[in-house]
Amino acid sequence: MTRHFLDIDDLRADELEELLDLASAYKEKRKEGVPHPDLERRTLGMLFQKPSTRTRVSFETGMTQLGGHAIFLGADDIQLGRGEPLKDTARTLSRYVDAVVARVFSHENVEELARYATVPVVNGLTDDAHPCQTLADLLTIREHVDEGGSNGGSSNPFDGVSAAWVGDGNNVAQSFALGCGLAGIDLTIATPPGYGIDEDVLERADELGVAPTVTDDPAAAVEGVDVVYTDVWISMGQEDERDLRMDDFAGFRIDEELLANAPDAAVMHCLPAHRGEEISEEVLEGERSLVFDQAENRLHAQKGLLAWLLER
């Protein structure tokens, strides 16, 4: 049966652990210069309605390192949902490539691609979810916990780990909430009124095992946590809301003042960052920052995902 990856809770907890183990193994092989052409002669189709730096480069580079090939189709190359129906695109591409990554606006579009494709479809980002980012986030947290011994030697590396999301309840936040539920991470979400994550996402996280705590107080949210995570306040397509959002998010910036409530916390941001807005330059470039470990781990996590989907 063809497996797709449209959000992080498409995985079971044991599958998440297996996938992160595989990602870690690929990271070690790359560090040691050990070739790993596990997807030799495989082709990845990449359908991108939205521009990208990390998603495009990490998937293309990952396929190359795995011995395969990636074909990029941008907004000017293919018109998703216009002209040719999505179901025809899905069925046609399935006869050419071994997997598809779709970075699109509407989550319904990636769901329709998966419904008709006979090869794995991976969500490279939609307005509702960014599960590939969450894989990299969880890999980064696991590495940080292992390094610091924060889980007390439990067989589950996420046992006892706490995190806070501070800022906009956007697509990254929603997938991260589900990822924390799946991994067993105690998560608190702090957003201004009107910017919270969807109720159905909170319910899904609860069903996975750990319901997030929700607040509008960022200082309370970060108190004593292991990880503080944020993202931009103004995402692509929201530029006309800039003045309103800058007012509404006052007090939600990750800076040294806020982090005084979390003296041992590491800091995460999925990039690109608007320095001085949602995060200060000092924090982003400081010793607590795991930001560029996260960025690197997009490569390793996605290699693990592709190999896991195609070599099952």
Side-chain angles (χ1 to χ4, degrees), residues 161-165 173 176-178 180-181 185-189 197 210-214:
V161 176
S162 58
W165 176 276
F176 186 66
L178 294 174
C180 287
I185 295 172
D186 184 12
L187 176 66
T188 301
I189 300 169
I197 70 175
V210 182
T213 300
V214 177

Side-chain angles (χ1 to χ4, degrees), residues 47 49 73-75 77-96 109 112-113 116:
L47 310 182
Q49 282 184 319
L73 297 169
D77 300 309
I78 188 167
Q79 296 185 350
L80 294 182
R82 292 181 294 167
E84 183 177 36
L86 275 174
K87 60 184 179 181
D88 292 0
T89 300
R91 288 179 290 190
T92 300
L93 284 176
S94 295
R95 305 212 176 188
Y96 297 151
N109 281 351
E112 186 169 0
L113 285 168
Y116 288 96

Side-chain angles (χ1 to χ4, degrees), residues 21-42:
D21 286 345
L22 185 56
S24 294
Y26 280 134
K27 186 171 184 176
E28 189 64 24
K29 286 180 179 180
R30 183 168 187 258
K31 180 180 178 181
E32 295 177 354
V34 177
H36 41 279
D38 296 342
L39 297 184
E40 191 172 8
R41 299 178 183 273
R42 301 294 189 99

Side-chain angles (χ1 to χ4, degrees), residues 26-309:
Y26 280 134
K27 186 171 184 176
E28 189 64 24
K29 286 180 179 180
R30 183 168 187 258
K31 180 180 178 181
E32 295 177 354
V34 177
H36 41 279
D38 296 342
L39 297 184
E40 191 172 8
R41 299 178 183 273
R42 301 294 189 99
T43 300
L44 177 67
M46 301 174 59
L47 310 182
F48 279 45
Q49 282 184 319
K50 290 185 172 186
S52 165
T53 300
R54 279 153 294 278
T55 301
R56 177 177 178 177
V57 174
S58 55
F59 268 114
E60 288 193 12
T61 302
M63 278 302 289
T64 298
Q65 292 179 4
L66 289 169
H69 174 60
I71 299 174
F72 179 82
L73 297 169
D76 294 334
D77 300 309
I78 188 167
Q79 296 185 350
L80 294 182
R82 292 181 294 167
E84 183 177 36
L86 275 174
K87 60 184 179 181
D88 292 0
T89 300
R91 288 179 290 190
T92 300
L93 284 176
S94 295
R95 305 212 176 188
Y96 297 151
V97 302
D98 299 286
V100 173
V101 173
R103 184 179 177 92
V104 298
F105 289 96
S106 168
H107 198 77
E108 288 73 20
N109 281 351
V110 79
E111 289 177 331
E112 186 169 0
L113 285 168
R115 189 175 305 119
Y116 288 96
T118 56
V119 299
V121 172
V122 173
N123 178 3
L125 178 143
T126 66
D127 286 346
D128 293 340
H130 198 357
C132 291
Q133 180 64 55
T134 300
L135 285 179
D137 297 339
L138 294 176
L139 179 60
T140 305
I141 292 172
R142 192 172 82 161
E143 291 173 343
H144 175 67
V145 168
D146 285 346
E147 184 178 284
S150 304
N151 75 329
S154 169
S155 59
N156 177 4
F158 299 109
D159 275 354
V161 176
S162 58
W165 176 276
V166 178
D168 190 18
N170 61 12
N171 49 2
V172 177
Q174 297 200 145
S175 288
F176 186 66
L178 294 174
C180 287
L182 188 62
I185 295 172
D186 184 12
L187 176 66
T188 301
I189 300 169
T191 64
Y195 294 95
I197 70 175
D198 292 346
E199 284 296 326
D200 76 294
V201 173
L202 295 174
E203 293 172 4
R204 285 159 62 193
D206 188 14
E207 291 170 359
L208 290 169
V210 182
T213 300
V214 177
T215 180
D216 60 5
D217 183 346
V222 305
E223 186 172 358
V225 299
D226 300 302
V227 175
V228 177
Y229 195 173
T230 192
D231 191 12
V232 295
W233 297 338
I234 304 158
S235 298
M236 190 183 310
Q238 298 173 338
E239 291 80 6
D240 59 344
E241 303 174 20
R242 178 177 180 79
D243 291 344
L244 173 63
R245 284 176 171 262
M246 290 298 292
D247 287 341
D248 289 346
F249 282 91
F252 281 78
R253 184 174 70 172
I254 306 301
D255 54 21
E256 292 294 348
E257 182 179 355
L258 183 63
L259 290 177
N261 298 284
D264 299 319
V267 175
M268 296 171 59
H269 191 304
C270 63
L271 298 178
H274 295 164
R275 299 164 189 245
E277 292 184 8
E278 76 278 357
I279 190 168
S280 69
E281 172 85 9
E282 182 182 16
V283 169
L284 183 64
E285 297 290 353
E287 293 183 356
R288 298 195 194 206
S289 176
L290 301 179
V291 171
F292 294 101
D293 292 335
Q294 276 179 275
E296 178 188 346
N297 282 339
R298 288 292 303 277
L299 172 67
H300 309 303
Q302 287 161 189
K303 284 163 66 176
L305 173 64
L306 290 171
W308 189 82
L309 287 171

